[in-house]
Amino acid sequence: MTNKIELHHGDGGVKTSELIQKVFLKCYGNDREVPLSDSFVFTTKSSKLAFTTDSFVVQPLFFRGGDIGKLAVCGTLNDLVTAGAKPLYLSASFIIEEGFDIDILCRIAQSMGGICKENGVRIVTGDTKVVEKGSADGLFINTAGIGVVSGHYSPCEIEAGDEIIITGTIAEHGTAILLDRYDLSVETNMISDCYALNYLITDLKAELPYIKLMKDPTRGGVATALNEIVAHVGNNVELIENRIPITTQVKAINNILGIDPLYLACEGRMILVVKKGFGNRTLQALKQICGNHDAQMIGHFTKDCQKLVYLQTDIGGKRVLPSLEGQTVPRIC
Amino acid sequence: MMKMNKECKKTIRIMEVCGTHTQAISKSGIRYLLPNHVKLLSGPGCPVCVTNESYIDAAIGLLSHDHVILVTFGDMLKVRGTSSSLSEKKMKDNVITIYSPEDAITLARKWPQKIVVFLAVGFETTAPIMAATIKNAYENGPENLFFLTALKRMEPILRFILEDERNKIDGLICPGHVASVLGADAFQFVTKEYQVPAVVCGFEAEDLKAGIYNLLDQIEGERPVSFLNLYQRCVRNTGNRLAKECMDEVFQKEDGYWRGIGKVSNSALGLREKYQRLDVKNKFDLSEEIISNPSACQCREIILGLKAPYECKQFGVRCTPETPLGPCMISSEGSCSAHYKYGRVIF
């Protein structure tokens, strides 16, 4: 085992987890266990707030369906949504390489402003650093966010039978990045699913009491996100392959590339764990109220406790979906 | 599948020899549907996995020249030579992953001042497109594009497996992709000369089910031993004439060295005399120091179908996709890698 940082340490899979445990948590000296969720929730005298941060190093900076600015805002908004929070304020910090085109920076900042306006949030603080040519690859952005946690959402213990919903088709962001980065000459109109998910807090209010957990399947995709969940919960997850929504275009492109779309990032989808028996109701609400026609109930938690995610395949076979080991695609977000 | 589940005590061993089949079998979860006595084994069908250490060493050696750029398919990056891999040795722009051999030509034109070396690895599936690229580069340039080849042939390695006195293969799923180039007839010898039931089948779960069903029928004596092409939608009996002609024009048979196995006569495709000037070994006067079977694991036995991945003591212990000891764990299409990812847990 090498003692140097490798690309795998940033893929959101097993290695990232190891790094967090062995370096950050150990050195920060957190004396009590802080749950490793995408947002930290804390209570003040008057309200419950969520706080999060995320950095964005996507390459290319502009991709089909978005750009690094849109991603930087949506990514942080979505992390707040996973905590049941309505986002309020964001910070935005830029690390820019000397020589970077100011017009391009303008386009990215405008994109960020536009998404914030659409979602009723404001960027209220930030920072700008410029490094010498060659010290960074164009532009990196960090955003942090704060939001108020909805009183309707109170995540609770997951049990056997609880149902798993995905709010839309999978793997579109990862596939879009692959197409643009490698300039694959594939004729397709598919775009990244990059999108802010605030509507889940506002439009799905009536269903929030039955939602036990929300997680956005970004790096490492649906398979890795579910593995992170089972690692904490203990119970296995059974997914039904033919219920997992995926467009034929995404399926075909990944087939060509030999990549399993279950491990590719979404940037505008959420995994919802819903109380047993309430999955269909939530699914209907997602389809009718939120217009997520592709949302599907893709599986459930079983009573077995081996911390495994497995797939019931189209032909009735079974296979394990382990956590991501080995980089699928670096710098995807 | 009902038929497959009938009682039978004799262990039946069916081998596939195509990396895509290895992955498709694991991804379809088909093992879960088979009774315990039917074992699906993966042969040496992943070209990356069987690439000899000396080839990787030679590629890494090329990186010591400042003006050399290596272009390769992604899977090659992790493969270790005697001491390191391309992913460990690469700098930012000196190893580039491509998805089509044509990209090698585009990149060489983009950097005329550099020497661009394409790592040409594969079986007869990829060999024709490599041949077309080499032919194109020979006739039209660019002058700065060279090739380091390690192309393999399927027939000699199949004969090597079938002639091994310890061979226990009861049925063979022939490589559908190679068959689409060479033709189904190229695999008739499996049944005719070795009396082993064989099918050519496709890569969808239903193709695999049909292939295994057919083989089991033959193995259990319910139909005579025969050779069947169940992938007729893609595979003609005589194959792809143009692809074969292109391959024959550019390549000639030569002895090949397989990681974990060693030398297999006539199992490689080398450049013919006419195209030698595009061989990077001539450009830099490189020689490969052939290494035979230094693996600490039991990949040789696994590749030859004598053992299943989980029967190797290193499997999942010291040997994982992150720290592969042997060829079968290196590529995502390797048998150990596929078993590790998709089949570690027996339901």
Side-chain angles (χ1 to χ4, degrees):
Chain A
M1 182 71 74
T2 166
N3 202 29
K4 304 273 186 198
I5 287 287
E6 299 166 15
L7 282 172
H8 301 321
H9 285 112
D11 64 12
V14 174
K15 285 267 199 178
T16 309
S17 214
E18 259 178 42
L19 194 69
I20 292 171
Q21 296 288 347
K22 291 182 182 166
V23 177
F24 297 126
L25 289 187
K26 194 174 149 198
C27 298
Y28 292 166
N30 286 355
D31 53 358
R32 61 200 166 97
E33 199 181 321
V34 178
L36 296 174
S37 29
D38 291 326
S39 287
F40 180 64
V41 174
F42 59 103
T43 312
T44 64
K45 275 184 187 164
S46 54
S47 52
K48 207 177 193 183
L49 300 170
F51 175 57
T52 189
T53 185
D54 208 340
S55 295
F56 298 86
V57 297
V58 67
Q59 185 58 237
L61 297 175
F62 293 85
F63 49 86
R64 56 191 73 208
D67 57 74
I68 188 170
K70 181 180 181 184
L71 199 59
V73 173
C74 293
T76 290
L77 295 186
N78 293 348
D79 279 349
L80 289 172
V81 171
T82 62
K86 183 176 181 300
L88 290 179
Y89 300 113
L90 299 184
S91 73
S93 298
F94 290 76
I95 297 170
I96 312 166
E97 186 184 11
E98 180 189 16
F100 193 78
D101 195 329
I102 292 181
D103 287 342
I104 296 177
L105 190 62
C106 253
R107 279 172 62 198
I108 290 167
Q110 276 167 357
S111 166
M112 295 173 80
I115 302 288
C116 285
K117 198 172 172 190
E118 277 171 28
N119 289 281
V121 294
R122 286 172 60 206
I123 297 174
V124 290
T125 184
D127 183 45
T128 308
K129 296 281 192 302
V130 176
V131 295
E132 306 92 321
K133 201 165 183 56
S135 298
D137 189 10
L139 174 73
F140 301 141
I141 301 178
N142 171 275
T143 50
I146 196 157
V148 181
V149 177
S150 164
H152 298 275
Y153 182 58
S154 52
C156 56
E157 197 179 331
I158 291 170
E159 298 156 300
D162 286 345
E163 292 154 338
I164 299 165
I165 290 173
I166 181 89
T167 59
T169 44
I170 67 159
E172 286 165 14
H173 178 71
T175 307
I177 295 291
L178 281 173
L179 284 173
D180 285 342
R181 184 178 309 162
Y182 299 116
D183 200 18
L184 301 176
S185 33
V186 176
E187 276 184 37
T188 171
N189 55 6
M190 67 95 32
I191 57 169
S192 162
D193 60 308
C194 181
Y195 195 73
L197 297 170
N198 302 10
Y199 67 88
L200 292 177
I201 306 299
T202 47
D203 300 355
L204 214 59
K205 204 180 283 177
E207 306 305 316
L208 283 181
Y210 310 108
I211 296 176
K212 293 185 165 186
L213 186 137
M214 290 191 269
K215 186 157 185 65
D216 52 342
T218 55
R219 286 174 306 172
V222 169
T224 303
L226 286 170
N227 269 286
E228 283 175 31
I229 297 173
V230 294
H232 288 283
V233 173
N235 295 63
N236 292 356
V237 158
E238 182 181 70
L239 293 182
I240 313 295
E241 186 172 33
N242 60 20
R243 287 202 204 152
I244 297 172
I246 178 165
T247 65
T248 46
Q249 294 191 46
V250 169
K251 209 177 202 176
I253 293 164
N254 283 288
N255 245 336
I256 293 169
L257 297 174
I259 289 175
D260 189 341
L262 284 165
Y263 290 87
L264 273 189
C266 308
E267 288 291 344
R269 308 287 184 240
M270 193 68 83
I271 291 171
L272 310 177
V273 178
V274 184
K275 187 178 163 68
K276 181 182 176 183
F278 288 82
N280 268 326
R281 185 190 140 140
T282 305
L283 187 62
Q284 290 320 311
L286 268 169
K287 291 188 179 206
Q288 284 163 17
I289 302 167
C290 305
N292 290 27
H293 302 294
D294 296 318
Q296 283 295 340
M297 191 143 73
I298 57 173
H300 64 278
F301 283 82
T302 71
K303 59 179 176 11
D304 302 314
C305 291
Q306 296 150 298
K307 300 187 175 184
L308 283 177
V309 179
Y310 63 88
L311 188 71
Q312 188 182 311
T313 64
D314 288 346
I315 59 164
K318 282 185 184 178
R319 72 169 161 110
V320 175
L321 294 175
S323 262
L324 184 68
E325 277 188 73
Q327 188 96 19
T328 303
V329 192
R331 294 181 65 183
I332 207 147
C333 58
Chain B
M1 283 288 159
M2 289 296 288
K3 188 180 174 65
M4 290 189 192
N5 284 314
K6 69 183 184 182
E7 286 297 316
C8 177
K9 285 178 185 165
K10 179 184 173 286
T11 297
I12 294 174
R13 300 161 79 91
I14 294 173
M15 177 181 267
E16 31 71 25
V17 279
C18 174
T20 314
H21 273 142
T22 306
Q23 238 192 356
I25 285 171
S26 294
K27 284 184 80 172
S28 69
I30 206 164
R31 284 191 175 88
Y32 172 78
L33 298 172
L34 295 171
N36 285 337
H37 72 280
V38 179
K39 307 287 181 202
L40 300 182
L41 307 169
S42 304
C46 166
V48 171
C49 299
V50 296
T51 299
N52 199 274
E53 287 88 339
S54 53
Y55 178 87
I56 304 298
D57 289 348
I60 290 172
L62 287 168
L63 291 177
S64 63
H65 302 274
D66 287 344
H67 59 308
V68 165
I69 293 176
L70 300 183
V71 292
T72 175
F73 298 131
D75 275 0
M76 287 297 289
L77 295 181
K78 273 198 300 181
V79 187
R80 291 188 75 78
T82 45
S83 61
S84 59
S85 65
L86 286 168
S87 68
E88 286 167 16
K89 292 290 179 187
K90 76 181 174 116
M91 304 293 280
K92 194 178 174 207
D93 284 326
N94 66 356
V95 181
I96 295 175
T97 303
I98 56 171
Y99 284 91
S100 159
E102 286 291 317
D103 294 344
I105 290 182
T106 312
L107 287 170
R109 289 196 200 285
K110 189 174 162 190
W111 289 303
Q113 75 285 15
K114 300 272 189 184
I115 300 291
V116 174
V117 181
F118 184 25
L119 305 183
V121 170
F123 280 98
E124 289 103 327
T125 317
T126 35
I129 185 79
M130 301 288 188
T133 310
I134 291 167
K135 203 165 164 244
N136 189 358
Y138 178 84
E139 288 165 2
N140 307 309
E143 298 292 317
N144 60 330
L145 178 61
F146 294 86
F147 297 83
L148 184 62
T149 63
L151 293 159
K152 300 275 196 292
R153 295 180 61 230
M154 191 51 86
E155 184 187 329
I157 193 68
L158 281 180
R159 288 186 182 275
F160 187 89
I161 292 168
L162 295 167
E163 283 167 14
D164 189 315
E165 56 187 21
R166 298 164 298 168
N167 164 36
K168 295 175 189 168
I169 309 299
D170 299 299
L172 188 77
I173 298 173
C174 297
H177 289 146
V178 174
S180 68
V181 173
L182 298 183
D185 286 350
F187 295 96
Q188 293 264 12
F189 72 92
V190 176
T191 306
K192 279 190 182 154
E193 296 180 37
Y194 299 94
Q195 290 74 51
V196 171
V199 293
V200 175
C201 74
F203 298 90
E204 299 299 325
E206 296 298 333
D207 292 322
L208 291 165
K209 266 166 70 177
I212 293 167
Y213 184 92
N214 247 295
L215 287 174
L216 286 174
D217 255 5
Q218 294 184 45
I219 295 162
E220 290 173 353
E222 301 209 357
R223 68 167 74 182
V225 170
S226 59
F227 175 84
L228 290 166
N229 176 10
L230 303 175
Y231 195 28
Q232 291 185 17
R233 65 183 189 274
C234 284
V235 175
R236 277 178 285 186
N237 288 344
T238 52
N240 183 328
R241 184 177 58 81
L242 281 177
K244 287 197 286 188
E245 282 173 5
C246 188
M247 230 177 0
D248 282 345
E249 189 191 326
V250 176
F251 300 123
Q252 61 190 8
K253 295 172 192 170
E254 57 183 38
D255 292 344
Y257 294 86
W258 299 61
R259 185 183 289 237
I261 295 175
K263 179 178 163 182
V264 179
S265 298
N266 283 325
S267 66
L269 293 169
L271 289 172
R272 286 191 187 278
E273 185 63 35
K274 178 180 170 187
Y275 296 97
Q276 282 291 324
R277 75 169 163 85
L278 297 183
D279 190 332
V280 76
K281 285 191 253 179
N282 297 331
K283 167 86 181 163
F284 287 105
D285 201 18
L286 276 181
S287 63
E288 285 184 38
E289 194 182 325
I290 302 302
I291 291 148
S292 296
N293 198 24
S295 292
C297 61
Q298 293 177 300
C299 279
R300 180 185 169 90
E301 285 78 8
I302 292 165
I303 285 175
L304 297 179
L306 301 169
K307 282 191 172 168
Y310 52 81
E311 290 173 313
C312 171
K313 284 180 183 165
Q314 306 293 351
F315 176 76
V317 184
R318 280 182 60 218
C319 186
T320 67
E322 196 53 43
T323 53
L325 288 182
C328 310
M329 192 61 95
I330 289 170
S331 158
S332 59
E333 292 194 344
S335 55
C336 291
S337 172
H339 263 77
Y340 184 88
K341 272 196 202 154
Y342 303 118
R344 271 182 291 171
V345 178
I346 308 297
F347 290 100

